[in-house]
Amino acid sequence: MNRKITVTLVAMCSLAMAITLIAQAGSDPSSEVQQMEKEMRDAQKSNDVTWYQQHLADGYVEGHSWGDWATKSEAIKQAQDKSITFTKGEISDVKVASFGPDTAIAHYKFTYDATFNGTHRARTVICSDTWLNQSDGWKLASSHCSHVEGK
């Protein structure tokens, strides 16, 4: 009788683990990455350095719409710069394509009015971000924004 109970419990636990693993493997990271995009733009507007330290992957690189590149350390330094101020920053049209459970590409429109290093910029940009799901959560590996002419 004890053997039947043990075998039944082991089978039930194995089935529960298999269902969990299948659900995780087939999960779509779209909603989580969309939320990360919104958090990133909020962190940018509020100079939240901690967000950048936690969510930029090693080897991160970003391309700015005004033609500059920035590494992870430069992006963190920029987030610390209190002279960078936003009066407006709206993210819209966020779309996410997932490539398995651990890679996602987000693209969106970002309209902002800000001052960077004494230069005022008010524009709309289209952006593309590459996200990697690593052992400690989603990390941004690369970001690039291009100016939308006339906006």
Side-chain angles (χ1 to χ4, degrees), residues 22-117:
I22 290 168
Q24 287 176 348
S27 67
D28 181 7
S30 295
S31 62
E32 193 171 359
V33 169
Q34 283 186 1
Q35 181 61 35
M36 297 294 291
E37 290 290 351
K38 290 176 184 169
E39 288 176 10
M40 176 177 59
R41 294 305 173 187
D42 289 342
Q44 183 182 32
K45 291 184 293 188
S46 65
N47 297 94
D48 182 357
V49 177
T50 304
W51 190 96
Y52 285 91
Q53 291 168 331
Q54 292 174 348
H55 298 289
L56 296 185
D58 292 336
Y60 170 81
V61 66
E62 68 184 29
H64 295 281
S65 62
W66 53 87
D68 290 337
W69 293 101
T71 64
K72 178 180 179 176
S73 62
E74 291 166 337
I76 290 171
K77 184 178 177 184
Q78 194 174 50
Q80 294 169 323
D81 186 348
K82 300 296 183 192
S83 71
I84 297 174
T85 57
F86 282 81
T87 56
K88 176 184 176 185
E90 297 172 1
I91 187 171
S92 62
D93 303 327
V94 180
K95 307 267 188 306
V96 177
S98 58
F99 300 87
D102 297 325
T103 306
I105 309 292
H107 64 277
Y108 54 92
K109 188 185 307 183
F110 184 56
T111 302
Y112 67 88
D113 188 323
T115 301
F116 296 88
N117 303 321

Side-chain angles (χ1 to χ4, degrees), residues 4-7 9 31 35 83 105 124 146:
K4 285 183 181 181
I5 292 173
T6 302
V7 168
L9 286 174
S31 62
Q35 181 61 35
S83 71
I105 309 292
T124 297
S146 297

